[in-house]
Amino acid sequence: MGNDRNRVTRRAFGGGVFSAGVVVSSLAGIAPSFAQGAPKRGGTLVATWGGGEPQACYVPAGGGSSPTFSSSKLFERLAKRAMDGKFEGVLAESWKPSADFKTYTLKIRKGVKFHDGKDMTVDDVVFSIGEIWKKYAAAAAMTDFAGVEAPDADTVVVKYNTPTPEFFFSSALCGIVSYVVPKHIYAGSDPVTNPANNAPIGTGPWKFKEWVRGSHFEYVKNENYWQKDLPYMDRLIIRYVRDPAGRAAAMEAGDIQIGVFNPVAPPDIKRLTGTGKFVATPKGYEESVWSTTLECNMRNPVFAKREVRQAMFHAIDRSFIAKTVYYGYARPGTSPIYSPNTAFFTADTYKTGFDPKKAAALLDAAGYPKKADGKRFTVNLLAAGWFTENGKIGAYVKQALEDAGVGVNLSVPDRPTSIKRIYTDYDYDMAISNQANPSEPIPSTTQYFTTDGIKKGVPFRNANGYSNPEVDALVEKIKVETDPAKRRELVFQFQKIITVEAPLLPLVEIESITVASTRVQNHSNDPNYLAASWADIWLAS
Amino acid sequence: MAGELASPAASRRPTGGGSSRRIAALRLLRRRLIQAVPLMLGVVVINFCLIQMAPGSFLELMTAENQVSDPATIELLRKTYGLDDPVWLQLVKYIWALVQFDFGFSYRQNRPVIDAISDHLPATLLLMVSSITLALAVGVAAGVVASMKVRTFWDSLVSVAAMFFFAAPGFWLGIMLIVLFSVKLGWLPVGGMMTIGGVGGGATGAGGVLDVLHHLILPTLALGLFYAAIYTRVMRSSMLEVAQLDFVRTARAKGLSRNQVTIGHVLRNALLPVVTILGVQMGTVLAGSVVIESVFSWPGVGSLLFDSVSSRNYPVVLGIMVLGSLVVIAANIAVDLVYMWLDPRIEIR
């Protein structure tokens, strides 16, 4: 534990993430505001984010970024990742694997109370792992889970059927909604429909007080929080403002002090920071890097040819997309493992950079020369409409591919339609979509490429029908390899194969931003700040 | 509905006393309520079919957001939510539930639809009422002024202002109002329905009412000024038209002052077209509130409807449509009654 330097959050599709969707990369002269002097106690912090109101304050299975934002202040996980990449205990004080890596033993923190005054015990941890994580919060990552038990009042033992890498296990402890929930509230009920989901009782630094639907959540300081002297502030308000321009105005008027996950449009970032009263930072998203991807449906015989898939990427100028569509607040993507992932990313892969001549040569070699009308073939391009940028990228990709002699029928359906057409109907030849993969590649990243990821009607899996026995075998090895160095090398091999095969690759890696008043201290200090507890945030005078 | 009222010219029967007018009003009310039944049925059927035609379902979104990977689980959810029933059966079940005042259950929000909507409906009704009130007050007043000062500077000023507010998109006007009155001048709140997180937050009683009214000003202006522009133009032309009628000339000949003629004779008759438009526009006011609520973070059904359409949350969308239709129907019935009050010669067919 603690040696790995990578990130661990589970993939969470941003259900409500329909903000401007724009981000900052090169924020020269714009820096986050960290603690200055002794923290000031008391006061109210009003926060917002770049999306809408959640469907419930807490959704056991995740439910997207919005309920993660609201619930992560109330519940706590067993562990978390620090900004330096090390794992740190939260409700677990420590954990260690057995010699065969099939069993992990955790020591649970004592003296922790739920908001209703009841003690948090190992029974709550066992219940959370066995009943909530396994069935809802981390189901995809717990396929080899064999059971959990508490041999004594301080210890919890988690068992697996197969050797489980330590990085994988530690990542599971830090899962985005891998919370410890109160057994006395959830046992014997359907966790999905439990009324407590709308007024959660957790162990976190903030206690639920009120949800004014359509407006805000109000949380108050947990006076019995196990971390003494925290939280610093008396009250935390999470306010929902649908319109990015409205958020910018509310921040400028002083109604909102901090906005996470792209709360305002790029021009407003510069305007707000230009006043000297706000800072903007890309920090706090190292655990949740988003990308915009292009994927090719293998069911179309044209894309069954690898050269055609490679040609599609060579025909597209990713730098242009980053600069034009994202105002320079993104960078070209090269691998299914994103470049900030220092544990598993490798730059030593096949490069599908912008090269129109190579694209033309590949298409010619694949047996698709230009016909008399100048076209080689025509494809249906679906740009998923959940981010407005996807539609703009679709318009550019259409032009770029048409320059390469590929006719494009572009459609930009809304979110439900996009999900249905891509994952249920397979009604596309190429799709522009998005991912937010965590550092741990199993299963969040690999399920887009393995044969067992082909599940009709199951969103955000291998919709393209890509099946490669070599990749399948490699992923099975990654799952059980417990030597970090060997596992890292296996993931490198995975990337090399995928970048050559190119069934799905990122066009750009997006950076998200936080905008905050200069009065706000100790923010953006967690690699997934949206999902952090915000116990140590405070407002300067 | 107002169109079914006989015009004053068509009516030749002498009007009865107060009692007969009350009876006529009750008959009108009964007839309108009976007519509302097939109307509501049409609203439900059409909206249900439109929603069914939209690709994608809330189940697909739910499984996407929750990373449900087991096809068997998805199938089980499909059965649980009744999505495996034929569409016609789903419709019949829905109508039968509605008859029993059951608007269904929002599985996305894990609560009854009526609870989800009733959390938001009062805010929307408040915004609608305040906007219509503003529109009527400003529109009628400006129309009267323009007609009394016809072809003067004041007439031109009113016309230009009316054209401006008619042409200005609501969301743009809203943002401009926020920039001016909230950001630059700091007089009014940026959004929301009440002060949160600051001094005055959670105020109750008179303080709370004043706080809500303070927050209501800008969204009311953004939504109401568009309709005020329409009423201004209609009122102006209606006033000028009525002013040419014989009974007005007679009133003048009797020696009544200009103000007496205008207020006592012209205004009341000139209001009829405005009232007609008011009834017709109730639905568009409700629709317009969706945009304005978004700009001002007003916690009304607009944001709920937007979210529900985006997430294919059919029960909530249908619930809002049904309740919205009820509001529009009720408003139109009220307009019919106002018609009778404004012009006693009007008789219900």
Side-chain angles (χ1 to χ4, degrees), chain A residues 11 15 44 55 59 61 63-64 192-193 213-214 216 235 237 239-243 246 249-250 252-253 255 414-417 419-420 424 455 457-461, chain B residues 55-57 60-61 63-69 71 74 108-111 119-120 175 178 182-183 190-192 196-198 294-295 297 299 303 306-307 310 312:
Chain A
R11 180 192 180 287
T44 298
Q55 59 272 44
V59 177
V192 175
T193 58
R213 290 183 187 259
H216 66 278
R235 198 157 58 131
I237 306 288
R239 186 172 160 187
Y240 297 98
V241 180
R242 176 169 297 284
D243 183 38
E252 197 167 6
D255 289 358
D414 71 350
R415 184 175 171 224
T417 310
I419 289 175
K420 181 175 171 56
T424 300
K455 292 181 178 176
V458 180
F460 303 103
R461 299 290 189 280
Chain B
S57 73
E60 281 157 340
L61 276 176
T63 55
E65 289 176 346
N66 295 330
Q67 295 289 286
V68 176
S69 58
I74 294 174
R108 182 170 172 78
Q109 293 158 313
N110 190 30
R111 59 204 303 243
D119 275 349
H120 297 264
I175 291 171
I178 288 173
S182 304
V183 177
V190 172
I196 53 173
S294 177
V295 172
S297 304
S303 56
F306 185 92
D307 288 337
S310 302
R312 300 289 193 269

Side-chain angles (χ1 to χ4, degrees), chain B residues 61 88 97 115 201 213 229 237 271 281:
Chain B
L61 276 176
W88 66 267
D115 288 354
L213 291 176
S237 61
L271 274 174
Q281 285 184 331

Side-chain angles (χ1 to χ4, degrees), chain A residues 253-277:
Chain A
D255 289 358
I256 294 174
Q257 286 86 47
I258 183 170
V260 294
F261 207 95
N262 314 315
V264 301
D268 282 329
I269 295 171
K270 290 186 178 176
R271 187 171 59 79
L272 289 173
T273 54
T275 64
K277 296 176 181 174

Side-chain angles (χ1 to χ4, degrees), chain A residues 1 78-79 88-97 104-109 154-156 169 173:
Chain A
M1 162 189 163
L78 288 171
E88 294 178 352
V90 180
L91 294 181
E93 291 183 327
S94 65
W95 59 97
K96 63 179 180 182
Y104 281 83
T105 303
L106 298 94
K107 290 295 178 187
I108 304 303
R109 188 176 300 281
D154 304 332
T155 310
V156 167
F169 181 77
L173 297 184

Side-chain angles (χ1 to χ4, degrees), chain A residues 57-58 74-75 182 185-186 191 193-201 208, chain B residues 110:
Chain A
C57 185
Y58 163 55
L74 308 169
F75 289 108
I185 299 288
Y186 283 93
T193 58
N194 193 308
N197 294 345
N198 287 331
I201 293 170
F208 178 92
Chain B
N110 190 30

